[in-house]
């Protein structure tokens, strides 16, 4: 598929899958999120990780607040994305229970005055997406923020966090798109990267 056709296909798929994702009711998001988080916080890779990159969920994404609080209680460092001001670029910044927040681009909460963390220090990355497939391919919002950022985190285990309704048979990928190693839904883990030898099982 040519790049132009690939981009067109992605836009069309993104539009339809966003519409499907928005049909999930808030109460259902809460229930599904609790199931996903329960699996994650009992997962050996979560328990072993010292620095975890999470995300601040939009209203139609899996909620990770309880996971973040659990990580703090276990003495882990939690980082989240923060836009740099340059389109497509973001940093990982450390947060704690005292962090102050603002609403940034796309309506996402971002911390104020949070210290930047070296991407090479991150053990586990949890990221959302419009959809995933079982090969670990991810459809994001189209900005390429994670694709650029993850090029600096080869050591991290990358986990796509979603719900089973947002799993699709195939997502078209470009050469610069970064697949995830694992996908987690309310139904459990899908291990995508067979080359990773450190994948623990719940």
């Amino acid at each position: 598929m040519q790049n132009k056709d690939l981009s067109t296909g992605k836009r069309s798929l993104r539009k339809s899958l966003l519409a499907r994702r928005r049909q999930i009711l808030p109460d259902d998001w809460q229930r599904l999120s609790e199931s996903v988080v329960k699996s994650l916080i009992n997962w050996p890779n979560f328990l072993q990780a010292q620095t975890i990159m999470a995300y601040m969920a939009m209203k139609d994404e899996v909620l990770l607040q309880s996971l973040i609080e659990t990580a703090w209680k276990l003495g882990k460092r939690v980082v989240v994305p923060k836009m740099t001001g340059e389109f497509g670029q973001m940093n990982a910044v450390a947060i704690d229970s005292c962090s102050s927040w603002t609403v940034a681009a796309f309506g996402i909460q971002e911390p104020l005055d949070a210290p930047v963390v070296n991407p090479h220090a991150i053990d586990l990355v949890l990221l959302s997406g419009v959809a995933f497939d079982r090969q670990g391919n991810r459809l994001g919002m189209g900005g390429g923020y994670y694709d650029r950022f993850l090029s600096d985190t080869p050591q991290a285990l990358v986990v796509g966090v979603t719900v089973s309704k947002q799993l699709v048979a195939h997502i078209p990928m470009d050469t610069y798109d970064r697949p995830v190693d694992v996908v987690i839904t309310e139904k459990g883990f899908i291990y995508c990267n067979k080359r990773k030898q450190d994948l623990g099982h719940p």
Side-chain angles (χ1 to χ4, degrees):
M1 184 181 289
Q2 299 297 318
N3 286 345
K4 183 177 180 181
D5 293 337
L6 182 63
S7 296
T8 301
K10 280 187 172 182
R11 282 196 298 271
S12 177
L13 186 61
R14 183 180 296 113
K15 182 178 180 180
S16 64
L17 289 170
L18 277 172
R20 185 164 76 182
R21 193 173 77 172
R22 289 166 184 151
Q23 293 174 353
I24 302 175
L25 300 175
D27 286 350
D28 290 331
W29 274 117
Q30 184 64 44
R31 174 181 56 81
L32 293 166
S33 297
E34 289 172 0
S35 179
V36 171
V37 167
K38 182 178 179 180
S39 294
L40 281 170
I41 63 176
N42 288 292
W43 191 37
N45 286 292
F46 172 82
L47 295 172
Q48 294 164 11
Q50 293 301 306
T51 299
I52 296 171
M53 186 172 190
Y55 60 86
M56 304 309 296
M58 294 188 286
K59 64 180 181 179
D60 53 356
E61 293 179 336
V62 173
L63 306 169
L64 293 185
Q65 187 59 39
S66 61
L67 178 142
I68 290 170
E69 293 171 359
T70 297
W72 287 334
K73 290 176 182 177
L74 293 174
K76 301 179 186 298
R77 178 168 59 170
V78 178
V79 303
V80 296
K82 185 171 184 177
M83 309 304 178
T84 65
E86 181 180 352
F87 182 79
Q89 301 291 336
M90 68 185 191
N91 290 322
V93 296
I95 60 169
D96 59 29
S97 58
C98 298
S99 296
S100 299
W101 299 85
T102 186
V103 178
F106 310 110
I108 300 172
Q109 282 195 315
E110 283 189 352
L112 296 168
D113 302 321
V116 174
V117 173
N118 188 326
H120 290 280
I122 300 171
D123 303 307
L124 180 65
V125 176
L126 305 175
L127 73 166
S128 61
V130 177
F132 295 86
D133 64 23
R134 290 180 176 273
Q135 291 70 51
N137 299 321
R138 172 181 177 268
L139 182 66
M141 295 297 288
Y145 286 90
Y146 274 107
D147 294 316
R148 294 180 180 90
F149 181 83
L150 292 175
S151 66
D152 293 327
T153 63
Q155 78 293 336
L157 188 62
V158 182
V159 181
V161 182
T162 189
V163 294
S164 57
K165 191 173 183 177
Q166 298 307 114
L167 285 176
V168 297
H170 174 68
I171 292 174
M173 297 287 281
D174 213 327
T175 53
Y176 53 77
D177 290 330
R178 164 70 191 269
V180 301
D181 302 310
V182 183
V183 176
I184 173 69
T185 77
E186 78 281 5
K187 295 184 178 180
F189 293 88
I190 302 167
Y191 293 87
C192 311
N193 189 344
K194 304 303 182 185
R195 292 171 299 174
K196 290 278 187 178
Q197 298 301 310
D198 58 348
L199 295 179
H201 292 262

